Amino acid sequence: MKLHHIGIAVASIDRYYNDFLKPLFGYDSISETMFVEQQHSKIAFVENGQMVKLELIEAIDEKSPTYNLLKENKGGLYHIAYVSEKFEEDIALLRSKRCILISNKAGVAFFMSPTFELYELLDKKAGWN
């Protein structure tokens, strides 16, 4: 598995990028904002020429997994994502290490670790690289 991105829950993608990431840390590239229907969220990826991207996640409504995190804590680190060349094998490996599979749709799987960190696994064969 290869580290792909770190997900951060934010109240507003545009404000967080323009007021914080761009001026303070030199993030100079942001993707188009995408709507992820099954997550009830908007997302955008930002880069600054380093190896790891940041995924900014904005809740659309109370059905979003990040809604309560944003409501209670105003945002923050949400998950760490890895790209897998052996998606099904890596799912089995994570489960064997007592990680709980939360969802697995369209080449994207989320797991809760035994110590409550959230991990995302992306299937390289589904277009993630």
Side-chain angles (χ1 to χ4, degrees), residues 2-124:
K2 177 180 102 176
L3 183 62
H4 185 267
H5 69 265
I6 297 171
I8 300 174
V10 299
S12 165
I13 290 171
D14 291 332
R15 278 197 316 270
Y16 193 81
Y17 175 72
N18 290 312
D19 297 346
F20 188 70
L21 288 179
K22 189 174 182 179
L24 293 177
F25 299 111
Y27 281 86
D28 56 2
S29 175
I30 185 168
S31 71
E32 285 187 35
T33 299
M34 299 165 269
F35 176 65
V36 182
E37 185 176 351
Q38 66 268 25
Q39 296 290 323
H40 295 263
S41 300
K42 293 191 301 187
I43 65 167
F45 289 95
V46 297
E47 299 181 62
N48 67 354
Q50 297 179 19
M51 296 292 289
V52 178
K53 301 174 194 174
L54 298 180
E55 177 189 25
L56 305 181
I57 308 155
E58 180 181 329
I60 297 295
D61 57 33
E62 65 279 352
K63 293 179 183 175
S64 171
T66 61
Y67 178 81
N68 285 329
L69 178 66
L70 290 164
K71 182 178 164 187
E72 295 171 13
N73 299 320
K74 307 293 186 234
L77 181 63
Y78 182 60
H79 68 265
I80 299 174
Y82 290 88
V83 174
S84 171
E85 293 184 13
K86 302 174 188 172
F87 190 69
E88 295 301 327
E89 286 180 37
D90 286 335
I91 285 174
L93 176 63
L94 286 161
R95 294 182 85 179
S96 76
K97 299 295 183 185
R98 300 179 327 161
C99 292
I100 299 168
L101 180 63
I102 297 169
S103 69
N104 182 3
K105 297 177 186 172
V108 177
F110 280 93
F111 292 87
M112 182 69 66
S113 77
T115 52
F116 302 104
E117 294 90 18
L118 188 61
Y119 289 94
E120 181 180 22
L121 190 62
L122 306 167
D123 188 353
K124 187 169 185 173

